[in-house]
Amino acid sequence: KGGDIVNNLLEVRDLTMHFSGVKAVDGVSFTVKEGSMLGIIGPNGSGKTTVYNALTGVYTPTAGQVVFNGTNITGKPMYDMVHYGIARTFQNLRFYRGMTVLENIMMGNYSNDRSNFFDAVFHTPRYKRYWDETKERAYEVLALVHLQDKANEYVGSLPYGVQKRVELCRALITDPKLLMLDEPTAGLNLNEASELIDSVLEVKEKRNLTVTMIEHNMKVMMSASDYIIVLDSGKKIAEGIPEEIQKNELVISAYLGKGVGNGAS
C-alpha cells in the first residue's frame, strides 16, 4: 500500500431500508478503513441495528449498495457472510446453554464443515479432520481472550461477562476480516465492559481485524473507536473522530446531552 491510497474494506452507499413505507434507514453512506475500529451511535430507534441487518443479509435493502473487500454483497443472505469474511455478534446471546464453552465455539465454525451425513455417521477421515481442526481453532481463539481455563465449563453456569467473551470467540473462530459487534457491553458492569473491550482491541491487533461496533456506552465508544458515525431517525447526521463527535452541536442536541464531554453514557 503506497502513497495516499486508502483501502476501504467496507463501502456502504446510500443504504435505504423501508418497512411499510417507514424509512428505518434513509440513504446512509459510510466507509470502513481496513484495520480500523468504526463506532456507530445514535438514540434508540435511530436505525443502527437495522443498518447491521441490511449489511449482513438479515434484510434485503430497499435501495443502495454494500461493497465488501471489492465485492458487491448487497442483498446476499446472512449465511453467505462468513464466506466473504464477515462475522457478527447480536444484542441477545445465542448459546446452547447445556453445552460447554468449547462445544459452543466449535459450533460457530459449522459453515466451514464440508462433511456430509455419511461422514458424520461413519466418522470418515474428512469428518475427523474437520472436527480436529475446529477444536484446535477453538482453543486458539479461547487463548486470544484468556479463557482457556473455561473450555470445559458449561456456558449456562458462567457469569454474563464471561459469556459475552465466549460469544466473541464464536465469531472469531471463522477467522473474519470484519467483526461487527452489536452492543457488546450491554448488561455488563464497568469492569466487565472494560475487560470485554480490552479483549476486542487485543484481538483486533493480533488478528489485524477491522471492527465496527454499535454501542450505547459513550465512554467505551469514545476511547475505543478510530472514527464514529452518528445516526438519528434513520439518517447519518454526523461523522468524524471521537473528539469531533464530542464537540458536534447537532450530535449533542440530538442524542448525547451536555454530559458527553466527561464521558457520560
Side-chain angles (χ1 to χ4, degrees):
K1 301 173 189 177
D4 296 322
I5 296 174
V6 173
N7 188 357
N8 289 324
L9 184 65
L10 178 67
E11 298 181 25
V12 179
R13 304 167 183 167
D14 295 317
L15 188 70
T16 301
M17 193 74 233
H18 294 179
F19 297 103
S20 302
V22 176
K23 294 182 179 179
V25 178
D26 188 6
V28 171
S29 298
F30 61 91
T31 58
V32 184
K33 297 177 184 177
E34 188 173 9
S36 71
M37 167 85 87
L38 172 76
I40 303 174
I41 64 174
N44 288 331
S46 61
K48 303 183 298 298
T49 296
T50 305
V51 166
Y52 261 28
N53 287 340
L55 294 182
T56 58
V58 177
Y59 303 144
T60 299
T62 306
Q65 194 174 60
V66 181
V67 178
F68 179 76
N69 203 23
T71 300
N72 186 345
I73 65 167
T74 313
K76 297 292 186 183
M78 185 167 60
Y79 53 76
D80 276 356
M81 293 302 152
V82 66
H83 299 301
Y84 291 112
I86 299 173
R88 175 187 174 180
T89 65
F90 290 81
Q91 290 180 17
N92 300 316
L93 296 176
R94 301 181 174 192
F95 287 127
Y96 301 96
R97 299 180 67 83
M99 296 171 67
T100 67
V101 167
L102 184 68
E103 289 166 340
N104 267 279
I105 295 171
M106 289 175 68
M107 291 295 287
N109 196 42
Y110 72 92
S111 59
N112 290 318
D113 187 0
R114 297 294 174 262
S115 58
N116 55 33
F117 180 75
F118 177 88
D119 295 319
V121 170
F122 293 100
H123 284 229
T124 63
R126 177 165 60 177
Y127 178 84
K128 187 175 187 305
R129 184 167 58 251
Y130 163 74
W131 281 106
D132 286 347
E133 289 173 357
T134 297
K135 182 179 285 189
E136 183 178 344
R137 290 170 72 170
Y139 274 116
E140 285 175 2
V141 296
L142 277 169
L144 277 174
V145 300
H146 312 292
L147 286 179
Q148 307 96 305
D149 60 328
K150 304 294 185 186
N152 295 313
E153 295 190 30
Y154 289 102
V155 170
S157 69
L158 296 172
Y160 190 66
V162 176
Q163 290 183 14
K164 285 274 193 172
R165 287 158 67 196
V166 173
E167 182 186 37
L168 176 62
C169 289
R170 196 163 57 174
L172 292 171
I173 196 172
T174 62
D175 196 21
K177 296 182 180 71
L178 173 65
L179 177 63
M180 300 177 66
L181 304 174
D182 193 349
E183 297 195 26
T185 70
L188 303 183
N189 62 38
L190 290 176
N191 287 339
E192 290 170 336
S194 178
E195 283 182 0
L196 180 65
I197 295 303
D198 285 347
S199 291
V200 170
L201 294 174
E202 185 178 353
V203 170
K204 176 180 174 293
E205 294 305 312
K206 287 182 177 178
R207 288 280 179 101
N208 193 29
L209 273 175
T210 304
V211 181
T212 64
M213 179 168 63
I214 295 171
E215 184 55 68
H216 280 297
N217 186 322
M218 288 301 109
K219 189 171 184 180
V220 163
M221 193 60 95
M222 295 299 167
S223 63
S225 302
D226 298 311
Y227 200 75
I228 293 174
I229 65 169
V230 187
L231 303 180
D232 189 26
S233 300
K235 295 177 184 259
K236 184 179 72 176
I237 62 168
E239 62 182 310
I241 61 174
E243 291 78 10
E244 292 170 336
I245 295 301
Q246 285 179 310
K247 297 172 184 175
N248 186 299
E249 291 296 330
L250 193 59
V251 175
I252 292 171
S253 62
Y255 174 43
L256 298 180
K258 300 300 182 183
V260 62
N262 58 25
S265 62

